Amino acid sequence: MDSWLRSRAAVRVRRGLVRRTEPQAGLIDLASNDYLGLAGDPRLAAAAARATDEHGTGARASRVVCGTTGAHQGLERALCRLTGQDAALAFSSGYTANLGVLTALGGPGTLFIYDAHVHASLLDGIRLSRSEAVEVPHNDLAAVATALAARGQPRAVVVLESIYSVLGDAAPLAEAAALCAEFDALLLVDEAHGIGVAGDGRGAVHAAGLAGTRHVAVTATLSKALGSQGGAVLGSTLLREHLVNTARTFIFDTALAPAAAAAAAEAAGIVLAEPELAHRVLRNAQVLALACGTEPSAGAVQSIPVGSPERAATVTAALRAAGVAVGCFRPPSVPDGVSRVRLTARANLTDAELRRAAASVNRALESGLQEVPA
Ligand SMILES: Cc1ncc(COP(=O)(O)O)c(C=O)c1O
């Protein structure tokens, strides 16, 4: 095994594609998902400290054993208030929320129809469920309709993201929901990049008037705009009850730490009370896109195609050296095989930071950086 691991590592080094896990302090942050700047907000820290005092640092057990605390219940109520959904169930991450809901809804008799650009956690959940599945081209509702009309399975779930994580574009949610209603299917929308950003912060599903409707359910992360850690599934009380009893990543996983639950609940309240935060992140995303000569996207993510993985790594390194952290997206993290640098706007970036960052991005892209030979 060791010699194989060494040979894989050597290939990554030769191609300049080594992923790193060092802290990145002192850079202008266009890489994190802290869209509203709430991860550093003292109100979240105070809520986390209160929950730790009251409940301890760890949840101690699965939610279905004795891991449920008032912090978890408060979080689920706060998420329902924010998104307008009837019920919420908190998971220990967005990843486990997606695995949990997809495996609990899947299996024999369920067909998953999923967009080609959905996140790895959704793909993994579909695979783990051992259901029949059809991939449809990105945002192609005609292909969704064809798959729904041709299905032989009694149940179907259409899986989309409200704002896609790599390209930052939006899904046609209202039309997708209408199709699901017509064919008696469930639309499952991952709002990881929508909540806190779209629809005054209440998410794209709420903005489309779909919150609380029978054919639509939502998954969310608490680790991006909500500045904490964890995930959730939002939908009907019937769905929540099914997940509590069947979702393996809920039942066989220690509950979210009370501090994370309380911080996310505090954030959900702030997002609801201060819609200007969501407006600000979209405004900053637009400023950044225009300054970098790209088309503004639907959300906080601006994605700039740069071609090869090596060039993405080189541009990212040049920007780090210039004091700007950006996301480096390359296979297998890019659905269409096109490597990109990803810029994420945040509500708390100043205009001076946006100008400085955009100038650095433009310089890095224009500096004729040569591709690293494979
Ligand atoms: C679309 C999408 N879904 C789910 C996740 C997973 O969320 P978490 O980081 O909370 O596990 C992410 C995170 O990158 C994401 O972008």
Side-chain angles (χ1 to χ4, degrees):
M1 180 62 84
D2 275 6
S3 66
W4 179 74
L5 294 177
R6 268 191 287 275
S7 75
R8 300 310 303 153
V11 171
R12 288 193 292 273
V13 170
R14 197 169 66 246
R15 301 188 66 196
L17 297 178
V18 179
R19 295 182 199 271
R20 307 209 173 273
T21 56
E22 286 105 30
Q24 298 195 10
L27 305 179
I28 298 179
D29 170 16
L30 300 185
S32 82
N33 303 302
D34 183 20
Y35 294 138
L36 306 181
L38 291 178
D41 190 300
R43 292 170 291 181
L44 271 64
R50 284 194 301 273
T52 301
D53 283 347
E54 192 175 343
H55 305 293
T57 48
R60 302 183 173 94
S62 160
R63 289 281 302 279
V64 293
V65 181
C66 60
T68 297
T69 67
H72 298 95
Q73 293 173 316
L75 167 64
E76 289 169 354
R77 282 193 299 271
L79 289 173
C80 288
R81 275 194 298 275
L82 175 64
T83 61
Q85 296 283 356
D86 293 336
L89 187 67
F91 285 71
S92 61
S93 72
Y95 206 113
T96 54
N98 281 341
L99 292 190
V101 69
L102 288 160
T103 50
L105 294 177
T110 296
L111 173 70
F112 285 117
I113 300 167
Y114 64 96
D115 189 280
H117 284 202
V118 295
H119 187 257
S121 56
L122 294 164
L123 283 179
D124 291 353
I126 290 168
R127 286 181 189 137
L128 200 58
S129 76
R130 288 188 268 186
S131 310
E132 290 176 79
V134 176
E135 179 184 301
V136 290
H138 185 46
N139 275 348
D140 186 343
L141 285 187
V144 173
T146 303
L148 282 172
R151 88 174 198 250
Q153 299 80 354
R155 295 175 300 283
V157 181
V158 175
V159 183
L160 310 176
E161 289 178 41
S162 59
I163 295 179
Y164 284 89
S165 55
V166 176
L167 299 194
D169 57 341
L173 290 183
E175 296 83 348
L179 265 182
C180 287
E182 183 186 339
F183 288 97
D184 196 21
L186 178 73
L187 178 64
L188 184 69
V189 185
D190 183 332
E191 283 252 59
H193 302 273
I195 288 175
V197 174
D200 293 338
R202 304 187 69 178
V205 168
H206 186 274
L210 299 171
T213 55
R214 201 165 69 79
H215 288 286
V216 181
V218 166
T219 64
T221 175
L222 315 178
S223 67
K224 298 189 194 300
L226 298 182
S228 182
Q229 189 82 37
V233 178
L234 302 135
S236 65
T237 50
L238 194 60
L239 174 63
R240 184 183 188 280
E241 174 69 7
H242 179 72
L243 296 178
V244 168
N245 287 282
T246 61
R248 294 171 65 84
T249 57
F250 182 78
I251 297 168
F252 299 105
D253 191 32
T254 298
L256 185 63
E266 182 73 18
I270 292 171
V271 172
L272 192 58
E274 301 176 19
E276 58 276 15
L277 284 172
H279 303 165
R280 184 84 194 166
V281 73
L282 288 176
R283 179 259 182 201
N284 284 355
Q286 193 161 30
V287 168
L288 194 60
L290 294 176
C292 295
T294 62
E295 191 67 27
S297 73
V301 167
Q302 303 299 322
S303 203
I304 305 181
V306 294
S308 69
E310 290 82 3
R311 186 162 155 76
T314 310
V315 170
T316 303
L319 280 166
R320 193 180 310 119
V324 181
V326 299
C328 177
F329 278 65
R330 54 204 179 189
S333 313
V334 278
D336 53 4
V338 178
S339 295
R340 296 176 166 82
V341 290
R342 196 183 77 166
L343 318 178
T344 47
R346 290 180 298 111
N348 58 340
L349 284 167
T350 65
D351 283 352
E353 286 174 319
L354 289 169
R355 272 195 304 274
R356 217 189 100 200
S360 301
V361 170
N362 290 330
R363 260 197 309 278
L365 291 171
E366 284 163 12
S367 62
L369 292 163
Q370 296 303 306
E371 301 229 353
V372 177

